């Protein structure tokens, strides 16, 4: 249905906000508005080409697929015209008045996160979309005619305030014509030289001709279809920037041209930084899929495993059928082959990076390590190759990140396991009493602090023949090797040990599953071990995150019979202070395990103990 006359509508609230920001931005780089218009025109042309190839009846079928930019300094107008898919009345209201599109939303989110900071530095990094025209225009007219033969042309007009007007219009040609009435202070844009520079800087690789006057000004080449050795580093970078709006040069550039088993061209990038909202749902890396130069999907998600969503770029294959629809992409065998080949290539590039330039690999790891872990957990097919790419802090290398292979190469004689400990951060783990015996025997331990690590150790299981083993397990298996001689106090005699164990049990009651003597402690008087080893103990951290009420299974308290504090306790059988000390030892052990429900509750007892200690000191002195 078309309304007979012009009608005025309000913009949606977020769009009004966005417009307000854009209109008032003192934005030096405001020339990006043209990039946005050309990018929209290019999308519209791609979609038209897709329609033509598949089914629909299209008006003006002979019209060249092109973008035209023209200007009139006298009238202070700039016009961008395309012969793309066009919009009818409903579409124009929906697209230009109702929904703020992905780039604009990401921009608004970034603005909120930066709390009222000036938008000037960040506009250029986002595809703010159509609305960016209001940075340079005081009024905008969009005249559009849909490709569908029965749709009538429509004219959308706005001055960027709170509303816009839509009216029926006359237009014979298919596509969209956008006229900007340029603000006085942006009039310097209106000359051929400037416009040409803007187009080649931001839109050089748009795969349709962009006419400025009667000359085509963009390079238009599908860069990925050129022979890799003929492409210069600078061209890749420029292309990356035009594809992603990311000004940082990418960490990896992968250009692959293959003929068998599937013919394809791929030009892929790993960006330098994760911080472009890649991890927030939809804003994933852009992977464009072309079949014979026709854009089939601009966010192809099935061509790489999900965890590789940091990879961006273009994949173009001659072998894929042009009418491949979104549903058949998943089930298409060629696509599966393509996916395997490309995934393998990205992995081998990462392997090379790790091997040849370990420093650069660590920079990559610091940005994308969590995604690599996600891959090791979820992607069984590629796990073998991912494991050597993982990096960990360890007891021996707390300030470095090492690979599992390095861990293996530094194992002590007869070491059969790869040991790990969980904790909230490396510093807390380094305080753990579980490390006493590892320090004494010079055995290294992975320090795991990420919630994903619980899943990771389960997924790994065994690495190159060595089983992973939690250093806090009640039945810890250690290499047979001896430790260095260090002078240690004598242990309590057996009888005294028994009496003390009974006393601990009496004081702690139900709160522990058992109390026993251990010879695995050195510096620490006690520790708590999880009786239920393996999966259970590893996953407790996760359960607790998911469910705050999750009740931890009770632990076994182990006592170091050589520790001076333990020996002292044994020597004060009837002293009530000893009970307080036992309580405090237990709660301290909970604390170091990261499972004390409320550490501050220990304070009154600590004060009482200190008071007793100072009193005795006075009495004896
Ligand atoms: P985005 O391009 O991120 O989707 P925009 O705000 O730039 O957001 O554009 C909003 C929508 O308007 C587009 O998704 C598209 O559907 C439509 N649109 C914009 N420009 C054109 C055009 N030249 N031809 C056809 N449709 C267009």
């Amino acid at each position: 249905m078309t309304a007979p006359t012009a009608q005025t509508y309000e913009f949606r609230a977020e769009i009004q906000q966005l417009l307000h920001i854009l209109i008032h931005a003192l934005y030096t780089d405001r020339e990006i508005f043209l990039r946005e218009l050309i990018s929209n025109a290019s999308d519209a042309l791609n979609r038209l080409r897709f329609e033509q190839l598949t089914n629909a009846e299209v008006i003006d079928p002979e019209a060249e697929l092109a973008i035209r930019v023209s200007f009139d300094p006298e009238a202070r107008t700039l016009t961008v015209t395309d012969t793309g898919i066009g919009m009818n009345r409903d579409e124009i209201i929906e697209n230009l008045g109702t929904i703020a599109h992905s780039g604009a939303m990401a921009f608004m989110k970034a603005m909120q996160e930066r709390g009222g900071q000036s938008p000037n530095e960040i506009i250029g990094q986002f595809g703010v979309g159509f609305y960016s025209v209001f940075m340079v225009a005081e009024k905008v007219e969009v005249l559009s005619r849909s490709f569908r033969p029965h749709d009538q042309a429509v004219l959308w007009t706005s001055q960027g305030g709170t509303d816009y007007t839509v009216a029926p219009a006359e237009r014979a040609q298919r596509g969209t014509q956008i006229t900007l009435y340029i603000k006085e202070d942006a009039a310097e844009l209106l000359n051929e030289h400037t416009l040409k520079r803007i187009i080649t800087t931001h839109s050089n690789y748009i795969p349709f001709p962009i006419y400025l006057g009667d000359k085509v000004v963009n390079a238009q080449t599908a860069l990925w279809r050129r022979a890799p050795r003929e492409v210069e580093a600078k061209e890749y970078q420029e292309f990356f920037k035009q594809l992603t709006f990311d000004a940082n040069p990418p960490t990896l550039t992968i250009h692959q041209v293959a003929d068998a088993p599937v013919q394809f061209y791929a030009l892929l990038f790993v960006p330098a930084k994760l911080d472009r909202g890649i991890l927030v749902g939809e804003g994933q890396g852009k992977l464009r899929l072309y079949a014979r130069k026709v854009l089939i999907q601009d966010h192809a998600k099935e061509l790489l495993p999900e965890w590789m969503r940091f990879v961006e770029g273009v994949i173009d294959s001659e072998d894929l059928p042009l009418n491949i629809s979104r549903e058949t992409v998943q089930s298409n065998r060629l696509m599966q082959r393509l996916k395997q080949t490309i995934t393998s290539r990205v992995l081998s590039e990462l392997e090379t990076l790790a091997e040849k330039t370990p420093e650069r690999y660590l920079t990559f790891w610091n940005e994308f390590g969590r995604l690599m872990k996600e891959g090791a957990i979820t992607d069984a097919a590629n796990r073998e190759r991912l494991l050597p790419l993982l990096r960990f802090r360890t007891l021996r290398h707390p300030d470095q990140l090492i690979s599992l292979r390095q861990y293996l190469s530094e194992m002590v004689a007869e070491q059969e396991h790869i040991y790990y400990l969980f904790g909230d951060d490396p510093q807390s783990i380094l305080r753990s009493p579980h490390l006493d015996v590892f320090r004494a025997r010079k055995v290294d331990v992975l320090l795991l602090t990420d919630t994903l690590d619980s899943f990771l150790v389960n997924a790994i299981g065994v690495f190159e023949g060595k089983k992973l083993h939690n250093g806090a397990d009640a039945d810890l298996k250690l290499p047979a090797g001896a430790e260095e001689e260090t002078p240690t106090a004598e242990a309590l005699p057996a009888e005294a040990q028994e009496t003390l164990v009974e006393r601990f049990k009496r004081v702690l009651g139900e709160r522990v599953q058992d109390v026993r003597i251990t010879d695995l402690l050195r510096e620490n008087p006690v520790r708590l071990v999880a009786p239920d080893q393996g999966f259970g103990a590893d996953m407790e951290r996760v359960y607790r995150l998911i469910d705050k009420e999750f009740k931890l299974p009770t632990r076994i308290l182990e006592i170091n019979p050589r520790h001076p504090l333990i020996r002292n306790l044994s020597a004060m059988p009837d002293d009530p202070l000893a009970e307080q000390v036992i309580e405090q030892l237990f709660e301290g052990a909970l604390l170091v395990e990261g499972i004390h429900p409320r550490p501050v509750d220990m304070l009154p007892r600590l004060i009482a103990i200190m008071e007793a200690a100072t009193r005795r000191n006075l009495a004896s002195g």
Side-chain angles (χ1 to χ4, degrees), residues 40-41 44 47 82 85-87 95-96 101-102 129-131 176:
N40 282 345
R47 287 166 62 193
D82 66 68
I85 198 160
M87 289 176 274
N95 292 332
L96 303 185
H101 287 259
S102 52
F130 170 76
Y131 306 107
T176 303

Side-chain angles (χ1 to χ4, degrees), residues 31-221:
E31 62 188 42
I32 56 148
F33 82 93
L34 193 54
R35 167 189 88 187
E36 303 293 331
L37 290 184
I38 290 175
S39 154
N40 282 345
S42 172
D43 288 348
L45 288 163
N46 263 313
R47 287 166 62 193
L48 191 270
R49 181 140 76 181
F50 189 76
E51 289 296 335
Q52 276 183 317
L53 286 164
T54 46
N55 39 43
E57 203 188 329
V58 161
I59 62 163
D60 236 359
E62 304 304 325
E64 183 192 14
L65 298 182
I67 300 163
R68 285 169 204 281
V69 178
S70 58
F71 61 98
D72 179 345
E74 304 286 280
R76 249 199 286 132
T77 57
L78 178 72
T79 307
V80 178
T81 311
D82 66 68
T83 47
I85 198 160
M87 289 176 274
N88 64 22
R89 181 190 160 88
D90 290 346
E91 287 165 335
I92 219 165
I93 291 174
E94 167 107 351
N95 292 332
L96 303 185
T98 313
I99 30 179
H101 287 259
S102 52
M105 290 305 276
F107 169 74
M108 293 292 282
K109 198 163 157 260
M111 282 296 295
Q112 270 159 17
E113 281 163 8
R114 282 164 220 224
Q117 204 184 305
S118 137
N120 296 342
E121 302 96 67
I122 55 174
I123 291 177
Q125 300 163 25
F126 287 87
V128 189
F130 170 76
Y131 306 107
S132 60
V133 294
F134 289 106
M135 291 193 294
V136 298
E138 54 199 21
K139 185 173 121 185
V140 177
E141 287 173 1
V142 181
L143 175 60
S144 195
R145 168 104 195 248
S146 158
F147 72 100
R148 295 181 208 89
H150 302 296
D151 282 342
Q152 211 199 330
V154 56
L155 177 67
W156 180 103
T157 315
S158 175
Q159 303 190 3
T162 54
D163 56 27
Y164 61 92
T165 302
V166 176
E170 284 305 320
R171 181 175 170 81
Q173 306 96 312
R174 175 193 74 219
T176 303
Q177 173 176 319
I178 299 179
T179 307
L180 311 185
Y181 293 85
I182 299 291
K183 291 181 188 172
E184 210 169 342
D185 70 358
E188 82 278 358
L189 288 169
L190 296 174
N191 70 77
E192 181 158 348
H193 180 75
T194 308
L195 291 171
K196 185 173 174 191
R197 181 187 55 74
I198 297 175
I199 295 169
T200 52
T201 307
H202 297 288
S203 311
N204 208 24
Y205 299 108
I206 292 291
F208 299 96
I210 303 171
Y211 289 90
L212 181 61
D214 52 5
K215 288 195 284 294
V216 175
V217 289
N218 61 326
Q220 237 190 105
T221 32

Side-chain angles (χ1 to χ4, degrees), residues 376-394:
I377 295 164
T378 57
D379 186 358
N382 292 302
R383 186 172 299 140
E384 286 300 296
R385 289 182 73 181
L386 276 164
L387 297 187
L389 290 169
L390 301 177
R391 294 293 179 269
F392 299 93
R393 289 180 200 286
T394 70

